[in-house]
C-alpha cells in the first residue's frame, strides 16, 4: 500500500487519476472582466463532459444550466436520512495567471525525493524550496510539462468528487444522506458564487474541495475589499503649462509612495496580518487610476485599511491644487467564519471524516477567499477541504495522487458522518 492512507484511498486512486488526466487536458482558463458566464468556452466543454459522466454513473438529473453550472443529485442510501441534504462543490476553471492550454500531465511514479525537471522550459520543482514536495517522497506526483499550469486547482477537487460519487453510487450499502453536487465556473476571477442558485441547490451546507495540503479543513478566509482611486488632473501643452498643468500620473505616484511600504503589504505580512495591495496603476497627465485590494481577517481592521488608503490619497490630492480625486471601495467577499459559527456540526463532521482517513486535521485560516466565502454569506455554510494539489497558478503546480485519493476517501467518510448524525 504505497503511501496510501487506506485501502479505500488505494481503491479510489485509479479512478481519481483517470478522471484528473482527462479533465486537465481541457483548457478551462477563466478570463477577467467577463461579459458572460462562463467567461470562456472550454469551461462549458468540461461542464458538459462532467454532466455526461454523472449521468453515466447513474445520477439521472445531471445537467448544465445556462450559466455553465453543473448540478446533480446522489440519492440517500436505502433507509438513510433523505431529508438531510449536503453539497459538494469544486470549480472547473483554471487561473488566468499561467498558461492553461495544452496541459500534458506527467505522473512521476514513486517519486524519489530529488528535484523534478520538467521537459519544457527547463522548469524545476525543487524539494529544497518546496517542503511539501519534500514530504511527499514515495508518492506518485503529477506535474504538467513545464509550459502550462497543471490545473489541480481545482480539477483535483472535481476528480475527487466524481470518484467518490461513483464509489458511493456503486455501493448503495454505504451510509449517506442526499448529496447535491455542483461544479462552478469562473471561481478564479471571483465569480463562482455569483450565479449560484443556493435555493435550487437545496442543501443545508456544502464543502468546496479546493484546498491544498492533506488534512486541511478551512473555515476562515480573508474579508476582501477592492478600491479604485481615480485622479483627474489638468492637461495643457507642456510649453504653455506654467502654473496651470496638474499631472495626474505624478499625483498617483505620490499616493502610492505615501502608503506604508514596510508593513501592510502582501510581501511584508503573514499569518493573521492584513494588507493593502496596489496591484495596478495606469494613467497619463489628464487622468490616472490606482487599483488596490484590501485584505484582513478582522472586519474592523479591514475598514481601517480602507480609511488609511482614503486619507492618504485625500492628503496628497489636497496638497495638489487642481487635482481631483474619486475613491470607490467595493466588497469582494467576507470572512466565512461568522457565517459558519452558528453551524458547528458542518466543520465537526469534516474533522471527523479527515480523522477517519487517518489524517490530522489542519485548521488554518486561508489568506485568500474561496467560493465558500460568498456562498456562506449567501446562506449556504461552505468550508473548504484539501485536494492534495500545490504551487497553484504556476508551471510548477503539482499534486500527490495519494493525497488526491485520500481526499476522495474523506468525501466517502463525510457522507457516513452525516448519515450517522
Ligand atoms: Zn481553486
Amino acid at each position: 500500500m504505497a503511501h496510501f492512507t487506506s485501502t479505500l484511498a488505494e481503491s479510489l486512486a485509479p479512478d481519481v487519476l483517470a478522471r484528473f488526466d482527462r479533465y486537465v487536458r481541457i483548457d478551462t482558463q477563466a478570463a477577467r472582466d467577463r461579459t458572460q458566464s462562463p467567461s470562456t468556452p472550454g469551461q462549458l466543454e468540461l461542464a458538459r463532459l462532467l454532466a455526461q459522466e454523472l449521468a453515466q454513473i447513474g445520477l439521472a438529473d445531471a445537467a448544465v444550466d445556462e450559466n455553465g453550472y453543473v448540478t446533480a443529485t446522489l440519492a440517500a442510501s436505502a433507509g438513510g436520512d433523505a431529508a438531510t441534504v449536503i453539497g459538494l462543490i469544486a470549480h472547473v476553471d483554471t487561473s488566468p495567471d499561467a498558461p492553461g492550454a495544452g496541459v500534458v500531465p506527467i505522473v512521476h511514479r514513486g517519486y524519489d525525493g530529488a528535484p523534478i525537471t520538467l521537459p519544457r522550459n527547463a522548469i524545476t520543482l525543487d524539494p529544497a524550496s518546496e517542503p511539501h514536495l519534500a514530504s511527499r517522497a514515495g508518492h506518485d506526483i503529477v506535474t504538467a510539462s513545464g509550459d502550462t499550469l497543471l490545473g489541480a486547482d481545482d480539477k483535483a477537487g472535481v476528480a475527487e468528487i466524481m470518484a467518490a460519487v461513483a464509489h458511493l453510487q456503486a455501493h448503495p450499502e454505504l451510509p449517506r444522506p442526499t448529496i447535491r453536487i455542483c461544479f462552478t465556473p469562473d471561481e478564479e476571477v471571483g465569480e463562482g458564487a455569483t450565479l449560484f442558485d443556493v435555493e435550487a441547490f437545496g442543501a443545508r451546507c456544502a464543502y468546496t474541495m479546493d484546498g491544498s495540503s492533506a488534512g486541511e479543513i478551512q473555515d476562515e478566509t480573508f474579508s476582501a475589499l477592492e478600491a479604485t482611486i481615480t485622479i483627474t488632473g489638468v492637461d495643457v501643452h507642456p510649453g504653455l503649462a506654467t502654473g496651470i498643468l496638474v499631472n495626474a500620473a505624478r499625483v498617483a505616484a505620490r499616493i502610492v509612495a505615501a502608503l506604508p511600504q514596510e508593513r501592510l503589504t502582501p510581501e511584508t505580512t503573514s499569518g493573521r496580518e492584513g494588507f493593502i495591495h496596489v496591484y495596478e496603476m495606469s494613467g497619463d497627465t489628464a487622468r490616472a487610476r490606482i487599483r488596490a485590494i484590501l485584505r484582513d481577517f478582522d472586519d474592523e481592521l479591514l475598514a481601517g485599511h480602507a480609511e488609511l488608503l482614503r486619507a492618504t490619497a485625500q492628503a496628497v490630492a489636497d496638497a495638489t491644487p487642481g487635482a481631483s480625486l474619486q475613491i470607490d471601495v467595493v466588497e469582494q467577499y467576507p470572512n466565512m467564519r461568522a457565517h459558519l459559527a452558528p453551524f458547528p456540526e458542518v466543520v465537526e463532521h469534516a474533522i471527523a471524516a479527515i480523522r477517519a482517513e487517518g489524517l490530522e486535521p489542519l485548521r488554518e485560516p486561508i489568506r485568500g477567499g474561496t467560493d465558500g466565502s460568498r456562498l456562506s454569506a449567501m446562506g449556504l455554510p461552505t468550508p473548504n477541504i484539501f485536494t492534495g494539489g500545490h504551487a497553484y497558478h504556476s508551471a510548477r503546480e503539482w499534486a500527490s495522487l495519494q493525497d488526491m485519493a485520500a481526499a476522495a476517501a474523506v468525501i466517502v467518510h463525510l457522507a457516513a458522518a452525516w448519515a450517522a448524525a
Side-chain angles (χ1 to χ4, degrees):
M1 199 170 82
H3 296 272
F4 283 102
T5 39
S6 67
T7 49
L8 173 61
E10 188 171 20
S11 74
L12 292 169
D15 192 37
V16 170
L17 182 60
R19 292 181 187 279
F20 183 70
D21 183 87
R22 200 152 60 229
Y23 306 155
V24 296
R25 289 172 194 268
I26 301 173
D27 175 10
T28 60
Q29 186 175 55
R32 293 202 171 85
D33 301 318
R34 70 177 189 177
T35 52
Q36 57 180 13
S37 177
S39 62
T40 50
Q43 297 183 60
L44 215 47
E45 188 186 333
L46 178 53
R48 292 197 181 111
L49 174 68
L50 292 170
Q52 226 173 62
E53 292 188 4
L54 284 163
Q56 279 161 10
I57 289 169
L59 278 54
D61 67 343
V64 185
D65 78 4
E66 68 275 18
N67 298 311
Y69 289 70
V70 182
T71 53
T73 310
L74 178 67
S77 45
D81 176 11
T84 296
V85 185
I86 67 163
L88 298 171
I89 300 171
H91 62 91
V92 299
D93 63 307
T94 57
S95 168
D97 294 336
V103 175
V104 180
I106 301 173
V107 184
H108 309 259
R109 293 275 176 193
Y111 170 53
D112 62 5
I116 300 174
T117 299
L118 303 181
R120 298 183 198 151
N121 297 348
I123 297 281
T124 298
L125 282 66
D126 187 354
S129 54
E130 303 208 24
H132 287 296
L133 182 59
S135 76
R136 265 38 199 163
H139 286 217
D140 301 319
I141 302 296
V142 190
T143 66
S145 291
D147 54 349
T148 66
L149 48 66
L150 173 62
D153 179 11
D154 185 25
K155 290 164 187 170
V158 174
E160 290 153 11
I161 291 172
M162 292 293 292
V165 165
H167 180 80
L168 287 167
Q169 174 74 9
H171 292 86
E173 75 283 5
L174 292 176
R176 61 179 189 245
T178 302
I179 298 177
R180 290 276 286 155
I181 294 117
C182 185
F183 298 123
T184 61
D186 288 332
E187 190 269 355
E188 298 289 0
V189 292
E191 303 284 5
T194 309
L195 297 166
F196 192 108
D197 190 339
V198 169
E199 200 174 329
F201 196 56
R204 61 182 285 171
C205 67
Y207 300 87
T208 49
M209 300 300 298
D210 195 17
S212 187
S213 294
E216 279 174 353
I217 164 70
Q218 297 163 322
D219 61 347
E220 188 167 12
T221 58
F222 272 147
S223 281
L225 303 175
E226 177 165 31
T228 305
I229 301 175
T230 309
I231 302 122
T232 308
V234 178
D235 190 16
V236 293
H237 187 288
L240 308 167
T242 312
I244 303 169
L245 184 134
V246 179
N247 190 335
R250 284 183 181 276
V251 175
R254 286 206 295 278
I255 291 170
V256 174
L259 289 168
Q261 314 287 327
E262 305 300 328
R263 63 182 186 93
L264 225 55
T265 67
E267 61 272 34
T268 59
T269 51
S270 60
R272 303 191 66 87
E273 299 168 319
F275 56 72
I276 299 170
H277 175 43
V278 174
Y279 73 91
E280 187 188 296
M281 274 180 83
S282 60
D284 52 27
T285 313
R287 197 166 171 277
R289 189 176 70 170
I290 301 166
R291 297 178 83 179
I293 55 170
L294 290 70
R295 301 287 188 263
D296 210 292
F297 292 101
D298 181 291
D299 286 347
E300 269 177 46
L301 292 176
L302 183 66
H305 304 331
E307 188 43 44
L308 175 64
L309 181 63
R310 191 185 297 276
T312 302
Q314 197 60 55
V316 171
D318 289 349
T320 314
S324 66
L325 196 67
Q326 186 182 330
I327 305 177
D328 298 299
V329 179
V330 296
E331 185 183 312
Q332 293 184 298
Y333 56 84
N335 188 340
M336 62 167 68
R337 184 173 201 155
H339 302 284
L340 285 170
F343 313 101
E345 69 278 12
V346 176
V347 170
E348 280 162 15
H349 288 329
I351 287 174
I354 289 166
R355 288 222 166 96
E357 190 51 26
L359 291 163
E360 193 50 43
L362 305 170
R363 197 171 172 182
E364 295 209 330
I366 315 174
R367 289 179 66 79
T370 67
D371 273 351
S373 309
R374 286 173 65 204
L375 292 173
S376 296
M378 287 159 70
L380 182 66
T382 306
N384 188 37
I385 293 176
F386 73 94
T387 62
H390 294 269
Y392 290 159
H393 305 187
S394 81
R396 295 181 352 272
E397 188 181 4
W398 61 275
S400 151
L401 176 58
Q402 280 73 6
D403 292 344
M404 288 197 283
V410 164
I411 295 172
V412 175
H413 301 312
L414 190 58
W418 277 101

